[in-house]
Structure formats: C-alpha cells, structure tokens
Amino acid sequence: MASSMSLLSEEQLLCPICLDVFARPVSTPCGHNFCMACLTAYWKDKPVCRCPICKETFETRPDLKVNTFISELVLQFVSLKVTDAHIWSSDQQQAGCGGAALCDICTDTKQKAVKSCLECLSSYCDVHLEPHHRAAGLKRHTLVDPLTSLEDRICKEHTRLLILFCRIDKVLLCDVCASSRHVDHDVVPVQRAHREMRALLGEAEDRAQQMIQERQQKVRVMKESVKQSEKETKDVIANSVQDLTALVSEIQRSQTELVKVMEEKQKAAEEETDGFISSVEQEIAKLQTTRVKLEELKQIEDQFNFLQSFPNSSLLPHTMDLSTFSFNSHVHHIEKSLRKSVSQLRMLLSKMNAEIKQLSDGTDASSSAMLRYVQQYEQDVVLDPATAHPLLVISGDRKQVRYAMGSGWSEYQILDPKMFTEHLAVLGHRSFSSSKFYFEVFVGEKTEWCLGVAAASIPRRGPLFRNPHSGLWVLWFLVNKFESFGVPNVPVHLGKVEKVGVFVDYDRGQVSFYDVQTATLIHSFTECFFTEELYPYFNPCDNEYGSNLDPMIIVPVSRSSGTE
C-alpha cells in the first residue's frame, strides 16, 4: 500500500477552490474534481454553471455524486499521512512515557507493538505482523505506528478512519458517515477544522484578555470616582454646616435635613457602585476562569481530543455592557443652591428645603443607568398559542394578546394539555433556567392586566390560588394600583404606566418591574428560590374594571425611553 501511494502527492488531492484535501470529492462532466461543498457554493446563485478550471458551460446543472474512487484515494492518503503529520502525537507521547502499545496477539509475555492496523483494530509485534506482509488480503490494510487507543480514531459504525469534521453537528466523521447522514452539511477535513478552531480559540483568548483589562480599568475608575465623590461630599457638608450654623433655628433645621439627605444619597451611590463593582469583579473572575480553560484547551495538541473537547456553547460568558454604568456626583448643584440661600436668607430657605426634599424623593440619573443596565439583557419573547386560554386572541407575529369578549367555548374544545382553562393567561414560547433576561410590554390604557414570570409546573387546569407559593412572580394592575399576585389586597405601587419592563436574574432569585417611561422601579421580588424553568406570563384580563379590550404588546427595547 505504501509503495502504491508513494506515487501520489498531496498536491494531486487538493481541491482547486479551497486548496485543501478533498472533502466528499465530486467530478464535473469535463473531468475536473472539487469538494462537493466548494463547487456547490461556487455555483450558488449563478444563472449558468461553468467549470471553475476550464470554464466549460453546462446547459443543465450536473447532478453531483461523490466520486468514490477519489474518496478512497483521499482516505488511504490521509491514513498513510497520519504518522508523518503527528496526528496521533498524544498517543505517541504516552508510548514514550511508559504507556507503549503492546501486541494484542501475544499470549505469554506481551511484546512491544511495531505497527497498528486500522482495519483489524489491533497492534502487532514483529512476529505477529508477518501475515500482513505476506497475505494478499492483509496487504491492503492500513498500517500506522503503534497506537494505544485505536478505537477512538475509528468510526464505531463503519470501522473506517475518522478524517472529516461536520461544522454543523460538531462531530468527527468517516467518509461513509459524510456521504450518508451528512450529505448537505458543511463537512471539511480534520486538519482544516483543527486550524480554524485553533484560530477561533486564539481570537477568543485575546478578546477575553481585552475584556479583563477593560473591566479592571473600569473598576479603577469607579473606585477613584467614589473616592473623589466622598471628598467632595465632605467638603460640601463642611461648607454647608459652617454657613447654616450662623443662622437661626429654622436654618439649623434645614441644615440637619440637608446632611441627612446628602449622606443617605452618598451611601446609596456607594452601595450602588459597590454592587456594580462586585458584578464586574465577578465577571473578571469568570473571564479569568474562562481564559484558563481556553488556555488548557489550547494546550491539547491531539486534533481529535481537541475537537471532541471543544465546547458547543459560546467560548465567552455573557457579560454586561460597561458603558451603561457611570458614577454620577450629586453635590455640585446643592452647594450652589446653598450659597444662594445663605445670601438671600429666608426668601430662599423654602426653596432650599424643597430642593432637599426633591433630592431625597426624585428620580435621578442613577435610575436611568439601572434601566439601561437591565435592558442590555433583552430577549426576543414570543407567545406560545398552545398555552393560551380559548378566550384569548394571539396575533400572527405572536407579539400581542387580547381578550376576545363574547367568544363562546366549551371544555370539549380543549385539545392541548398546556392550555390554561380558567386564568386568561398565555405563556412565552421560550423558557429560561439561568442567567438574566429582560423584555418590555406595552399596556397603554388598559384598566387591568397581569404580567411577570411563571414556573414551568404552574397548573393549567383549574384556578390559581393567590399565595406566595403559587409559582407566579407576577404584578396585578387594577385601575390605578399594583398588587403582587401572591399577596392579595396589599398595594405595592400606585399610579399607572404605559410600558412595563420585566427583568429576571435567575441566579440571584430576583424579578423586577420597571416603568420604562420614567425609568423608575415599580416593584421587585427578591430572595426567590427558583428550582425549575421560568416562562414569561401574560394575562390581559377581562372587562370587570371597564373597557379592557386593548392588547398587551411585546415591544422591542427603545433605549432612549426614560433615559433622556
């Protein structure tokens, strides 16, 4: 076999398009050979099919079939090339370290193997290898340097060498697998896949390092901002106290209130920043762990072990957008107001107290920053019609749900066991069981609705009882107040909203609701204990509290809302 293949060179088995060893070779009517995927891509969207080499035109598109003769040549060539290219370097290292392959035929003292047969899946010493040099049938077998784990390199189904890699299914293939179950898949030689994935690994490693440096820099900047803000706050407090203590008791009362509010504001800013820094440091730890894992993966020299160990999911963990958070000092305009108040005395005292109260109760830039932070975890949520109550109407794009007043239905219409039968509810199509996710819903002028998330095991038949163990983390809006579904008749927020943002941090056990227009927090469920998948939950409710036929609409995030 070696003598017959020595007349071939690698250049003779290269595809003229991708310049790599043929993968599922096909031949054109003019006699030229290409990878099936390469030629198919070359002819895609072209009105006339021409040979890429000689430019001969074909009136009808040729029906491409794998050239089995060339495919066999490639297989044999790659098999003979295995040892020279050190594809089995991992096993050879084991042999050099005391894990040498032994003859599978020796019955007494096992002798060291000199060759392994890819057809027999056995290793042989000099004595027991002799039939492979003498018998005509055995001469056609493929012999390589001794291997300690032959089975790992051979297709279990077809007992042929694994020389191809499917980019779609991320699996190693033999030529028979590629020609049967992976005909329309993107299949490339193992060597090419190894080169491409190592390059991808290198890029991910560089990006991880860059992200670590960016976050370390952000942490340094935030710590410096907090330190500077603390100094400015102390200076303003000292100046304000000095001015206010010279005034009468009414000014002293304003002074006390000012110090209290500013210290609370500073504390809140520090706590918010500490939480952000903690999240960033956690991301740094995750990225450092990821970098270590990437480095460990990168150290795997054996192409097969490398490809089998290569993760199917994203190489990098999900991280936050650092630009969505910055430290905002709040002391400068207060100091300016104080100086005016001291010079104008009683006329400005009332204004000063009003501003202090506004600082304590009002919404500032930190709320907008928090909304921008959670919005970066937006997910594309669509409704699952199979779960919808029969009196609900789902739009064609599965983004809207409304109550259909007057629609008649009976229990005999219920076909899907996932369907709600009493609650006018519908679930999102996709579930979540880790990490963070966010979506926004336009409720407009509706007089009643329920919105939030539900556990996968929530009952679909019969009533849902309002208690903290109902499996619902939902806000119920009634005319002008909000209640938690699990705690009846206890308002958690007053007023109306037009657009609601729902943010879930599964790992921390938190569900938060935001008024997107004003960038304010409506309510949060904290310290929740999630044990199963969560689904977005929508209930447009009926007309008990006035006309309520408008739909609930899942809308894309507009990050200008509430952030101006």
Side-chain angles (χ1 to χ4, degrees):
M1 176 61 67
S3 61
S4 63
M5 293 299 294
S6 63
L7 298 177
L8 285 175
S9 65
E10 184 173 3
E11 288 74 14
Q12 294 172 287
L13 298 176
L14 297 182
C15 170
I17 296 178
C18 66
L19 302 180
D20 212 330
V21 176
F22 287 121
R24 297 169 59 219
V26 295
S27 300
T28 60
C30 57
H32 294 105
N33 304 309
F34 308 90
C35 297
M36 177 177 284
C38 294
L39 188 57
T40 302
Y42 182 82
W43 281 346
K44 185 179 181 181
D45 300 328
K46 286 185 170 59
V48 178
C49 295
R50 290 189 177 89
C51 174
I53 301 298
C54 66
K55 306 303 180 184
E56 180 176 339
T57 301
F58 310 114
E59 294 183 0
T60 59
R61 191 180 189 122
D63 183 16
L64 300 176
K65 303 292 185 182
V66 174
N67 189 317
T68 56
F69 177 74
I70 298 177
S71 181
E72 287 290 338
L73 284 179
V74 172
L75 177 64
Q76 297 297 336
F77 183 84
V78 172
S79 299
L80 291 174
K81 190 182 174 185
V82 161
T83 304
D84 296 334
H86 301 287
I87 293 179
W88 319 109
S89 58
S90 173
D91 297 294
Q92 292 170 339
Q93 290 171 4
Q94 292 178 5
C97 297
L102 300 178
C103 178
D104 294 323
I105 309 302
C106 292
T107 56
D108 297 328
T109 302
K110 292 284 188 180
Q111 299 297 316
K112 185 176 180 179
V114 296
K115 289 291 180 182
S116 294
C117 177
L118 298 182
E119 280 75 20
C120 300
L121 295 183
S122 299
S123 298
Y124 302 96
C125 63
D126 279 325
V127 174
H128 294 112
L129 182 65
E130 189 273 335
H132 278 74
H133 297 309
R134 172 173 46 81
L138 296 178
K139 283 183 178 181
R140 290 193 293 271
H141 287 194
T142 303
L143 300 177
V144 297
D145 283 352
L147 305 172
T148 58
S149 57
L150 277 167
E151 293 79 4
D152 295 340
R153 273 67 177 181
I154 301 300
C155 175
K156 300 297 187 297
E157 182 178 354
H158 305 109
T159 64
R160 297 173 73 86
L161 189 63
L162 298 170
I163 60 171
L164 301 171
F165 183 75
C166 177
R167 287 171 170 161
I168 296 178
D169 294 335
K170 309 296 183 185
V171 293
L172 293 162
L173 309 171
C174 71
D175 57 330
V176 177
C177 291
S179 301
S180 55
R181 292 189 296 271
H182 299 262
V183 175
D184 298 324
H185 289 191
D186 187 3
V187 176
V188 297
V190 163
Q191 294 89 339
R192 189 193 309 180
H194 180 259
R195 288 197 304 269
E196 293 172 352
M197 288 193 174
R198 285 191 68 86
L200 183 63
L201 191 64
E203 294 173 0
E205 186 179 15
D206 293 341
R207 179 57 181 156
Q209 179 61 32
Q210 179 184 352
M211 294 171 72
I212 290 173
Q213 293 173 351
E214 290 173 352
R215 279 149 182 77
Q216 289 174 337
Q217 176 63 22
K218 187 72 172 183
V219 169
R220 288 192 292 268
V221 171
M222 296 302 297
K223 288 181 177 179
E224 185 61 32
S225 298
V226 171
K227 187 183 298 183
Q228 180 65 25
S229 176
E230 183 180 11
K231 179 180 180 301
E232 293 175 354
T233 300
K234 289 180 179 178
D235 292 342
V236 173
I237 291 174
N239 294 335
S240 302
V241 169
Q242 182 179 359
D243 292 336
L244 290 172
T245 51
L247 303 178
V248 293
S249 60
E250 184 178 357
I251 298 177
Q252 291 176 341
R253 190 165 55 250
S254 299
Q255 169 193 318
T256 303
E257 181 65 18
L258 171 70
V259 173
K260 176 184 176 182
V261 169
M262 293 190 67
E263 287 181 340
E264 289 177 350
K265 202 66 178 176
Q266 177 64 26
K267 181 180 178 182
E270 289 178 359
E271 290 176 351
E272 183 177 7
T273 304
D274 288 342
F276 176 80
I277 291 174
S278 176
S279 297
V280 174
E281 288 175 340
Q282 290 176 9
E283 287 192 352
I284 292 174
K286 289 182 180 179
L287 287 167
Q288 288 174 335
T289 301
T290 299
R291 184 180 63 179
V292 171
K293 291 181 179 179
L294 292 174
E295 181 61 29
E296 291 174 354
L297 184 59
K298 190 176 179 182
Q299 297 303 317
I300 300 177
E301 297 294 336
D302 178 40
Q303 298 177 0
F304 296 91
N305 288 340
F306 174 85
L307 294 174
Q308 290 173 336
S309 302
F310 200 91
N312 291 332
S313 58
S314 174
L315 292 174
L316 298 177
H318 180 81
T319 56
M320 69 180 75
D321 183 1
L322 298 181
S323 65
T324 61
F325 194 96
S326 61
F327 189 88
N328 297 290
S329 180
H330 55 271
V331 298
H332 297 294
H333 71 285
I334 300 301
E335 182 181 19
K336 182 178 179 181
S337 297
L338 284 173
R339 291 191 180 277
K340 289 182 180 179
S341 299
V342 170
S343 63
Q344 298 179 22
L345 298 176
R346 291 185 179 275
M347 182 179 67
L348 296 179
L349 281 176
S350 59
K351 178 182 177 182
M352 182 181 66
N353 290 329
E355 289 184 352
I356 293 173
K357 189 176 188 305
Q358 182 180 5
L359 177 66
S360 176
D361 300 335
T363 299
D364 59 16
S366 63
S367 297
S368 297
M370 179 55 67
L371 180 61
R372 291 195 301 270
Y373 165 73
V374 300
Q375 282 177 331
Q376 69 178 318
Y377 294 100
E378 177 189 14
Q379 294 291 335
D380 184 18
V381 174
V382 295
L383 303 173
D384 182 2
T387 65
H389 188 282
L391 292 181
L392 297 183
V393 177
I394 309 298
S395 62
D397 62 0
R398 296 193 292 168
K399 291 288 187 178
Q400 301 185 27
V401 56
R402 64 179 177 85
Y403 168 61
M405 182 176 63
S407 298
W409 68 282
S410 69
E411 61 183 8
Y412 301 106
Q413 293 176 291
I414 302 173
L415 301 177
D416 198 311
K418 298 187 296 182
M419 179 185 295
F420 287 97
T421 62
E422 290 200 21
H423 265 233
L424 295 172
V426 60
L427 299 182
H429 183 269
R430 177 186 173 189
S431 64
F432 300 87
S433 59
S434 64
S435 194
K436 307 175 180 71
F437 66 94
Y438 174 87
F439 59 95
E440 291 184 357
V441 178
F442 181 80
V443 293
E445 297 298 321
K446 289 180 67 63
T447 55
E448 183 184 8
W449 47 264
C450 291
L451 178 64
V453 292
S457 62
I458 183 173
R460 313 300 171 86
R461 299 286 188 266
L464 296 177
F465 298 102
R466 296 188 65 180
N467 60 64
H469 308 292
S470 63
L472 279 175
W473 294 268
V474 167
L475 282 189
W476 191 342
F477 175 74
L478 297 164
V479 184
N480 61 357
K481 66 178 180 179
F482 293 83
E483 295 181 4
S484 165
F485 182 86
V487 183
N489 303 319
V490 179
V492 297
H493 186 79
L494 298 177
K496 296 186 66 173
V497 300
E498 288 189 355
K499 187 188 297 184
V500 184
V502 182
F503 174 67
V504 179
D505 188 336
Y506 190 100
D507 300 326
R508 294 183 61 185
Q510 180 174 327
V511 183
S512 300
F513 299 82
Y514 292 87
D515 180 346
V516 178
Q517 249 62 36
T518 61
T520 55
L521 178 68
I522 300 174
H523 181 69
S524 282
F525 297 98
T526 59
E527 299 182 359
C528 307
F529 185 61
F530 302 133
T531 59
E532 54 185 305
E533 297 176 333
L534 299 179
Y535 286 87
Y537 174 93
F538 306 82
N539 185 334
C541 299
D542 55 21
N543 290 328
E544 181 180 358
Y545 294 91
S547 180
N548 193 37
L549 298 180
D550 290 342
M552 300 175 73
I553 307 173
I554 304 169
V555 294
V557 166
S558 176
R559 289 176 175 81
S560 61
S561 298
T563 61
E564 297 297 334

